[in-house]
């Protein structure tokens, strides 16, 4: 005879109602067996109502709505632009809510540092959703490669066609992505793979490529180097993701993964585990701050060189 699990569900509120919230976060939270979707907050009341109704929860809006959702939640997930996310994450941490944030945490070092410090001061758990660290296929591959010594170099390309001629993606309407480009949007994904395998970045060189493309050359603490190309404006035929490692045992290429919703469920599991154990996850707010520091340094270099 087995004993039924009496652990109460983790009440997670969702801040944001855009495409990312509709397509990934709300469905994943509503379907998660260990989660109660405690509400949806949006800047537009009609969008919050529509998303909340679709997933059987309550809608919130306005400043008072933020406070009410925080009071009704153990944790909050963010589907907001990074520089809207950061101050609200500070507010949530101060209210005692655990944090499930999107990447990047912020597009300024000061904004990301405020989040990390608020989470530490409030002793709340935090996870930054870098997709490849939580998708089952890629997270297993990263752990496998991190256990292997002797990597010599790596190559990572993350090229999207979000802003290519003829693109109809609803994500192209995001003002912050258009302003900050591939470096800030997909750079966290590439760095979140390379750092646990090759070690932290001890030297960085950045240069601008065509459109929003950025090229990085990284020197890691292991002694290995990596070359990274990031962009959202590649022609459709040139778009794709490749991460390849080369070392003493040959080469290793990152596998494909099932999709963002599955990966997001993994991030929810990681947050729940950090809440339960009190052990910080490797992709926590402090890691999010470090990513922001690297991206800001790269942006400064690329702009100066351009």
């Amino acid at each position: 005879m087995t004993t039924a699990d009496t652990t109460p569900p983790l009440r997670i509120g969702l801040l944001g109602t855009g495409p990312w919230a509709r397509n990934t976060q709300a469905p994943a939270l509503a379907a998660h067996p260990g989660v109660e979707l405690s509400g949806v907050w949006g800047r537009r009341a009609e969008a919050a109502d529509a998303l909340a109704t679709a997933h059987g929860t309550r809608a919130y809006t306005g400043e008072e709505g933020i406070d009410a959702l925080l009071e009704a939640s153990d944790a909050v997930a963010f589907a907001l632009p990074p520089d809207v996310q950061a101050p609200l994450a500070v507010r949530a941490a101060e209210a005692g809510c655990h944090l499930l944030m999107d990447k990047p945490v912020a597009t300024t070092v000061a904004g990301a540092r405020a989040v990390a410090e608020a989470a530490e001061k409030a002793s709340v758990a935090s996870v930054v959703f870098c997709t490849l660290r939580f998708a089952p296929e890629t997270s297993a591959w990263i752990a496998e490669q991190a256990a292997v010594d002797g990597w010599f170099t790596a190559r990572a390309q993350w090229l999207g066609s979000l802003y290519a001629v003829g693109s109809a993606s609803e994500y192209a309407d995001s003002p912050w992505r258009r302003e900050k480009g591939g470096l800030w949007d997909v750079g966290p994904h590439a760095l979140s793979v390379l750092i646990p395998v090759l070690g932290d970045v001890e030297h960085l060189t950045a240069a601008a490529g065509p459109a929003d493309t950025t090229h990085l050359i990284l020197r890691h603490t292991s002694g290995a180097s990596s070359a990274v190309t990031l962009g959202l404006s590649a022609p459709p035929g040139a778009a794709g993701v490749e991460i390849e490692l080369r070392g003493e045992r040959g080469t290793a290429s990152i596998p494909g993964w099932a999709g963002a919703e599955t990966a997001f469920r993994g991030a929810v599991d990681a947050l729940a585990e950090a809440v339960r154990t009190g052990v910080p996850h490797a992709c926590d707010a402090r890691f999010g701050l470090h990513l922001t520091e690297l991206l800001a340094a790269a942006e400064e270099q690329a702009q100066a060189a351009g």
Side-chain angles (χ1 to χ4, degrees):
M1 180 176 178
T2 59
T3 302
D5 185 1
T6 58
T7 304
L10 188 67
R11 300 174 302 159
I12 302 182
L14 176 59
L15 292 163
T17 59
W20 190 238
R22 294 195 308 270
N23 298 336
T24 300
Q25 292 175 314
L29 291 169
H32 196 292
V35 167
E36 174 191 336
L37 179 56
S38 51
V40 173
W41 177 88
R43 288 173 283 190
R44 294 185 300 112
E46 61 274 20
D49 286 339
L51 190 57
T53 299
H55 295 286
T57 190
R58 181 178 176 183
Y60 297 83
T61 193
E63 284 295 310
E64 292 180 356
I66 295 173
D67 292 330
L69 180 58
L70 295 179
E71 186 175 351
S73 305
D74 304 309
V76 284
F78 294 85
L80 296 167
D83 293 325
V84 177
Q85 168 179 250
L88 287 179
V90 171
R91 185 169 166 181
E94 290 174 345
C97 290
H98 306 289
L99 308 174
L100 180 48
M101 293 173 286
D102 203 8
K103 53 76 211 162
V105 170
T107 64
T108 67
V109 173
R113 181 176 293 116
V115 175
E117 290 177 351
E120 290 177 0
K121 183 177 180 180
S123 298
V124 297
S126 59
V127 165
V128 179
F129 181 47
C130 295
T131 305
L132 302 185
R133 293 292 289 272
F134 299 100
E137 306 89 343
T138 52
S139 63
W141 182 86
I142 292 166
E144 180 182 351
Q145 310 318 317
V148 175
D149 293 326
W151 293 118
F152 183 70
T153 191
R155 175 181 59 84
Q157 290 191 135
W158 196 303
L159 292 172
S161 56
L162 198 64
Y163 299 121
V165 175
S167 171
S169 172
E170 57 186 339
Y171 296 103
D173 293 332
S174 166
W176 82 265
R177 282 189 177 88
R178 187 171 291 277
E179 177 188 356
K180 305 302 284 188
L183 174 66
W184 286 91
D185 188 26
V186 298
H189 293 311
L191 290 169
S192 75
V193 174
L194 296 172
I195 288 172
V197 177
L198 303 180
D200 201 1
V201 176
E202 60 181 13
H203 186 267
L204 177 154
T205 302
D212 74 306
T213 306
T214 302
H215 302 283
L216 307 178
I217 302 295
L218 309 175
R219 181 77 173 183
H220 298 267
T221 52
S222 66
S225 64
S226 61
V228 184
T229 299
L230 308 163
L232 298 176
S233 304
V241 177
E242 297 178 5
I243 301 178
E244 181 187 75
L245 305 167
R246 290 180 175 267
E248 294 174 357
R249 303 191 186 189
T251 65
S253 297
I254 199 164
W257 62 97
E261 186 177 337
T262 299
F264 190 73
R265 286 199 296 268
V268 173
D269 292 339
L271 181 68
E273 180 71 4
V275 170
R276 185 183 67 82
T277 64
V279 178
H281 191 273
C283 286
D284 64 359
R286 183 59 61 177
F287 182 70
L289 166 60
H290 186 45
L291 292 179
T292 302
E293 291 170 335
L294 292 171
L295 296 170
E299 181 180 64
E300 182 179 2
Q301 277 200 30
Q303 290 177 345

